[in-house]
Amino acid sequence: MATGLSAIFLHNRPALMRFLRARGAGDESEDLLQDMWMKLEEKDLGPIADPLPYLYRMANNLMLDRYRSATRRERREQDWAEGAGGVMADPSEDIAIDERLILTERLEEARAVLRSLGPRVELVFRRFRIEGVGQRLIAEELGVSLTTVEKDLQKAYRAMIALKQKMDTE
């Protein structure tokens, strides 16, 4: 008989399934719950203050990890197809030259703003927003707290919002 977190998982399994389906997991909901069950059984987790929110967060994180993995796989396959002679359309070919120049200038402005915030803020922003790496993993990679990563992202977001407002008024 399951005890502790496993028992709470089993009791709330239908609700977790609905949660995952509502979040877009679709047919993968069953697989995600199976992965979740396996993780719960293989880890010796100590007492958890709020077990149900913990389970929901775990389910959401597993779904996001699977999505990111699929996205990376598709990107690798696309890169391979391009390298193997596959024809992929360049979206910039549909943009007029003057528009492309404006977009390039704006992109460079955004990069300059991020650089001005410092290398760690720039790296955290790039890893999270562009590469899709989770905040916790970024914190571990950099040897800083999760709060530090969150504050760096807030700083970058504020700077990007200010830049956008400046561009909108020009």
Side-chain angles (χ1 to χ4, degrees):
M1 176 126 197
T3 59
L5 197 55
S6 295
I8 294 169
F9 170 84
L10 291 173
H11 180 75
N12 290 285
R13 191 177 189 288
L16 289 164
M17 176 76 73
R18 286 190 303 274
F19 171 77
L20 287 170
R21 286 193 174 137
R23 302 275 298 161
D27 295 336
E28 290 190 9
S29 298
E30 282 287 345
D31 291 341
L32 288 165
L33 287 178
Q34 180 65 30
D35 289 350
M36 197 169 154
W37 174 256
M38 298 300 289
K39 286 182 183 293
L40 289 172
E41 289 300 304
E42 73 186 19
K43 290 184 179 176
D44 183 21
L45 299 171
I48 295 174
D50 292 324
L52 194 54
Y54 177 85
L55 291 173
Y56 276 97
R57 179 166 300 246
M58 185 178 184
N60 190 57
N61 288 344
L62 283 171
M63 185 184 71
L64 290 174
D65 287 347
R66 190 168 287 194
Y67 170 77
R68 288 178 183 136
S69 180
T71 303
R72 286 185 199 115
R73 183 174 47 254
E74 288 172 9
R75 197 175 311 140
R76 275 193 309 271
E77 289 172 0
Q78 183 179 9
D79 290 346
W80 182 85
E82 288 175 3
V87 178
M88 297 294 202
D90 182 2
S92 65
E93 291 176 1
D94 294 338
I95 301 173
I97 292 173
D98 57 338
E99 290 178 38
R100 210 176 317 162
L101 287 172
I102 292 169
L103 290 174
T104 302
E105 284 178 18
R106 288 186 170 187
L107 180 61
E108 193 48 48
E109 276 185 76
R111 286 180 177 150
V113 166
L114 284 174
R115 274 193 303 272
S116 73
L117 299 174
R120 189 183 69 214
V121 175
E122 181 182 9
L123 177 64
V124 167
F125 182 81
R126 182 176 48 80
R127 296 280 290 147
F128 182 70
R129 293 297 300 177
I130 298 170
E131 297 173 10
V133 177
Q135 292 180 18
R136 189 170 308 280
L137 182 58
I138 294 169
E140 290 172 10
E141 288 174 354
L142 297 177
V144 297
S145 70
L146 183 58
T147 304
T148 300
V149 170
E150 291 169 347
K151 286 180 181 178
D152 286 349
L153 284 171
Q154 289 172 358
K155 189 184 295 185
Y157 291 150
R158 282 192 297 272
M160 290 295 105
I161 289 169
L163 177 62
K164 183 180 181 324
Q165 289 172 343
K166 177 186 158 223
M167 288 178 177
D168 288 348
T169 59
E170 291 178 348

